Amino acid sequence: MTLADIQPGKKARIVSIENVNKLVRRRLIDLGIMEGSIICLKNSLPFGGPYTLEADGQSIGIRRREASLIEVSNL
Amino acid sequence: MMNVALIGNPNTGKTSLFNALTGFYEYVGNWSGVTVEKKVGKLKDELGQLIDLPGIYSLNPLSEDEAVVSNFLLTEDFSAVLNIVDASQLERNLYLTLQVLEYGKPVVIALNMFDVAKGRGLKIDTEKLSLYMKTPVIPVVARKGTGIDQVKHYLREINAENQEALVIHYGEILENAIQKLIRQLPDSRLPKRWLALQFFEGNKPVWELLKKHVDESVLQKIFAETEKRIAETESVSSLDRYIRQIRRQWICNVLEKAISHSPDRKVPLSDRIDRIVVHKVWGMPIFMLLMYLVFKFTFDWLGSPLSDALDAFITGPVTNGISSGLEAIGASSFVKAVILDGIVAGVGGVLVFVPQIMILFFFISLLEDSGYMARVAMVMDRLMEIFGLNGKAFIPMIIGFGCNVPGVMAARTIEQPSERLLTIVLTPMMSCSARLPVYTLFAGAFFAENQALVVFSLYFLGIVVALVMAKILTSTLLKHKESVFVVELPPYRVPQGQVLFRSTWEKGKGFLRKAGTFILGGSVLIWFLSYAGPGGLSVDMNESYLAMIGGFLGTLLAPIGFGTWQAGAALITGFLAKEVVVSTMNILYASPDISSLQGIIAGSFIPLEAFSFIVFILLYIPCLATVAVIRKETNSLRWTLFSMGYSLAIAYVISLIIYQGGKLLGLG
């Protein structure tokens, strides 16, 4: 299951971010988002636009393609 | 004299703290070695200087902006670090703190947004934190000025002699490798253990430095061997992830002892605002509406009346005053001509636009300071992706509407090098406020009824050209470079008056400086070239040197609709700064003020030619200051020349289409 499969407003635990683009992965890690983090999909923008995510009070935006490369599991 | 470096994560309130600790005095200078701007403020109470560094998450840089901090630590002499930390995001913020503590300079930690953390149910024991970090930790609320005295107190107490670097044990494999590398390093003022750690973390500026002292193959061998051994025994594949894991463990251990949570958490206000402004349906319309309001305020509701009042003041009392003053001291007619026809006409013609420029900068600062800019990047990303860019590239473009120079610099926050380059090269297509005086002049003379529409069409054209160019470049020269997007969405904050006015002034003062330098000098030069000619001084303007130079250009420009020597001359001077076009015309048409200049211009252009001319002004070349900053930011002469060449070509082609097409349609 990936982050792109999660319902908006739902939370999940990150299993792996290995497949994410290197630059994005580094930035996610900088922001404290990595394996084991609990992440919430807050909303998405139309026409395949980016997702707003939240982890530990920290909001970030990433593209849908990147979100679909983040493996997650249900809590 | 103490030099304190201000280091912290982005969006932690660095600017607020900087302002609270320093007086209004500050300057922008260059670092030795690297040409990146730094902002230096004088600490209050004669404590020394405070150096503002870009916000970073880790010393190991990802973007250009972040490399600045590593380079600072490697090359500059400083006495202490003031580390600002967001109390509500401690786990992430302390990662940088740890790297700074490992450096071994005295550190004072300012725990900012203590109130926000409390509101989120965090209870932080600063004394315990201070104990584990072995350095002072002070709770502050920078926006309200709480705790600032304490920070100053600890800065005063700093004693460089007895500061020890924080040492964390990184496991036997890595510790052995660190020792092995340290033995190879020459003695310098830089801490060896810190250098070794940053090296293993993959910090590029540190690699570059070490390569000067140690054979590159030796470095690569140590790195590869260590990474392999770590991968064999630990669960992580790369050294930087391993180091990060150790540090995070250390941080979590500390936080476990120093922090307690209380369970009551309500939905933060930011989340509620975000539900609206990055809403599926409403996100884009809200952004459009905000931009519309900004431009309405700047150009219509607030800016124009102010500009008109200033114009009346300069052409009336100021000109009369100077004129009678010159009369009274018995100045010669030459001096009178230089001052009144050259300087007052040239500089005054530009100064009247300062209110509009300042208002636009005020709104840009407002968007930045409130936290909305990051949301703009979100809202625009899908559209920008089509053109091979990402949403973050839109921010330099919006700033570029104010002035292209800070716009080009704002591209530093874009992680992907090719996307950053593209944004730098395209930002000059954004119609900066210096071009506005030219539009206003011509739109007022020819399209008085549709003035707003004509000006808007130019802004729009600039964006369209930039996006189309982006598409062309990403499918040719910059092909196969993947576009990526990740943006931090900071909590919204009510903008602070002082910070707003300060950053508006920061951005806007450049215009006033330009008026006193480029435009003043340019005006005198233009006036002189129009006053002198092969036949001597005080010649008829049509026989002047300027008429000759402009006339040559005029023949090249005839196919696009403005073959007069005045237009040619104005375009040359417009390269100095776009608003000089107005100054030049003011002088060349010997006009006392803007409204009579409009009358004169209405007699020498037809509407189609005028429109072609302002389109050309929009696109034809980045101004001198922008060219300089493009050169600095791209560090490439080729791309700098490219940015000039392609804009000239595009401007000519588009003006040609407009003029010739318009003639075919019977508009000329």
Side-chain angles (χ1 to χ4, degrees), chain A residues 5-61:
Chain A
D5 305 323
I6 303 285
Q7 291 292 314
K10 289 281 179 305
K11 288 181 178 182
R13 187 189 302 277
I14 295 181
V15 175
S16 166
I17 55 170
E18 271 311 303
N19 298 328
V20 179
N21 171 290
K22 215 175 82 200
L23 290 172
V24 178
R25 186 170 65 217
R26 230 315 280 289
R27 188 56 88 220
L28 288 175
I29 295 172
D30 278 342
L31 292 166
I33 297 170
M34 59 190 81
E35 283 84 359
S37 303
I38 292 171
I39 198 152
C40 173
L41 178 65
K42 289 209 299 198
N43 68 18
S44 64
L45 282 155
F47 309 112
Y51 282 154
T52 311
L53 309 173
E54 191 238 68
D56 200 19
Q58 166 74 60
S59 291
I60 61 150

Side-chain angles (χ1 to χ4, degrees), chain B residues 367-619:
Chain B
L367 292 181
E368 283 178 327
D369 201 38
S370 64
Y372 183 68
M373 268 306 194
R375 276 73 184 183
V376 173
M378 280 297 279
V379 171
M380 293 305 293
D381 182 65
R382 185 66 195 93
L383 184 67
M384 299 297 272
E385 195 184 3
I386 299 173
F387 299 98
L389 287 166
N390 73 62
K392 274 188 179 174
F394 205 72
I395 296 170
M397 294 186 177
I398 292 181
I399 296 173
F401 284 141
C403 174
N404 290 170
V405 173
V408 166
M409 294 202 293
R412 279 187 203 155
T413 57
I414 298 170
E415 289 90 355
Q416 176 84 287
S418 65
E419 280 183 82
R420 174 168 176 258
L421 180 66
L422 200 56
T423 309
I424 290 175
V425 175
L426 297 178
T427 296
M429 292 286 121
M430 297 306 116
S431 182
C432 67
S433 42
R435 280 166 244 193
L436 188 74
V438 191
Y439 307 156
T440 316
L441 174 68
F442 278 81
F446 295 97
F447 316 105
E449 276 161 28
N450 300 312
Q451 194 167 347
L453 185 70
V454 167
V455 173
F456 181 76
S457 75
L458 290 163
Y459 280 87
F460 190 70
L461 180 68
I463 298 176
V464 170
V465 170
L467 292 182
V468 171
M469 274 305 292
K471 188 71 199 165
I472 294 172
L473 286 173
T474 46
S475 4
T476 54
L477 284 176
L478 299 169
K479 216 174 165 181
H480 306 308
K481 300 279 201 310
E482 195 188 356
S483 157
V484 299
F485 175 66
V486 53
V487 65
E488 180 186 352
L489 302 170
Y492 287 99
R493 281 183 279 256
V494 179
Q496 253 183 307
Q498 199 207 358
V499 173
L500 267 185
F501 285 112
R502 216 166 145 152
S503 63
T504 305
W505 172 244
E506 277 299 296
K507 295 184 181 101
K509 71 179 177 194
F511 276 88
L512 292 174
R513 201 184 299 126
K514 262 202 297 186
T517 52
F518 276 137
I519 297 170
L520 180 74
S523 300
V524 173
L525 184 72
I526 297 297
W527 172 82
F528 184 75
L529 284 176
S530 69
Y531 186 77
L537 291 179
S538 194
V539 294
D540 180 56
M541 214 183 264
N542 289 313
E543 306 292 327
S544 67
Y545 287 122
L546 196 62
M548 291 166 61
I549 305 168
F552 167 71
L553 265 183
T555 49
L556 296 178
L557 298 171
I560 56 175
F562 34 98
T564 66
W565 69 263
Q566 287 93 340
L571 286 174
I572 302 177
T573 58
F575 175 56
L576 289 179
K578 296 286 169 87
E579 63 268 46
V580 181
V581 169
V582 175
S583 311
T584 307
M585 294 205 151
N586 233 353
I587 297 168
L588 295 187
Y589 290 112
S591 140
D593 58 44
I594 296 291
S595 52
S596 40
L597 180 60
Q598 281 177 336
I600 298 167
I601 285 174
S604 31
F605 284 83
I606 60 165
L608 182 62
E609 291 167 348
F611 190 68
S612 173
F613 184 74
I614 47 181
V615 166
F616 197 76
I617 290 285
L618 163 71
L619 301 171

